[in-house]
Amino acid sequence: MSKSSTATAPVAPQAPATGAELATQPAQAQPTVSEKFLSRIERQFKAELGSTVAWTPLERTLGQHMYVKINQALIEAESRRANNRHKQNDPPIVWDNLNWDLLSSDVVHTVHLELDAYVKNH
């Protein structure tokens, strides 16, 4: 029996990619805003309680749903505040003005109960 050997042709060196070629190449996936939200919740929860959060895929999805609903509520509340002439001097209702200690604890516990923010009255 003779062994068949496969010869490969030498590969020519390629020129560096141009700007147009780089634009068509897939970029490394950047974390979404909801994934960044979950990372911040994990860091805050660990800093406060000293324990890490191990998200299951379902819990990760529920946490992302929570982000979307909180963001919608903040946008609506800020819109109402800005349009109310008695509250225009109040601080804006935005992510930076939230109590992240309380929010992280609430999000983790709500997600562990598998409550979905997309389900009405859930």
Side-chain angles (χ1 to χ4, degrees), residues 3-121:
K3 291 183 181 177
S4 63
S5 63
T6 57
T8 57
V11 178
Q14 295 181 349
T18 63
E21 291 170 340
L22 288 175
T24 59
Q25 293 177 353
Q28 287 185 343
Q30 297 293 324
T32 64
V33 179
S34 60
E35 289 171 340
K36 290 178 185 177
F37 168 75
L38 287 179
S39 295
R40 184 167 180 181
I41 292 295
E42 290 171 358
R43 285 192 310 271
Q44 190 70 33
F45 191 79
K46 183 176 181 178
E48 188 160 327
L49 298 177
S51 62
T52 60
V53 180
W55 303 102
T56 65
L58 173 64
E59 290 173 339
R60 186 163 291 284
T61 301
L62 294 174
Q64 290 172 338
H65 291 179
M66 184 76 66
Y67 164 77
V68 171
K69 287 307 231 180
I70 292 171
N71 194 46
Q72 288 174 347
L74 289 175
I75 291 169
E76 290 174 18
E78 175 56 20
S79 174
R80 286 193 309 269
R81 185 205 63 83
N83 293 329
N84 185 335
R85 63 185 174 101
H86 299 291
K87 296 193 178 243
Q88 287 185 349
N89 292 331
D90 290 354
I93 303 171
V94 294
W95 285 103
D96 291 335
N97 291 339
L98 294 180
N99 180 348
W100 280 92
D101 296 337
L102 180 61
L103 180 65
S104 65
S105 177
D106 288 347
V107 167
V108 169
H109 294 302
T110 302
V111 166
H112 280 295
L113 291 173
E114 295 185 1
L115 299 177
D116 192 348
Y118 280 166
V119 177
K120 190 174 184 174
N121 296 326

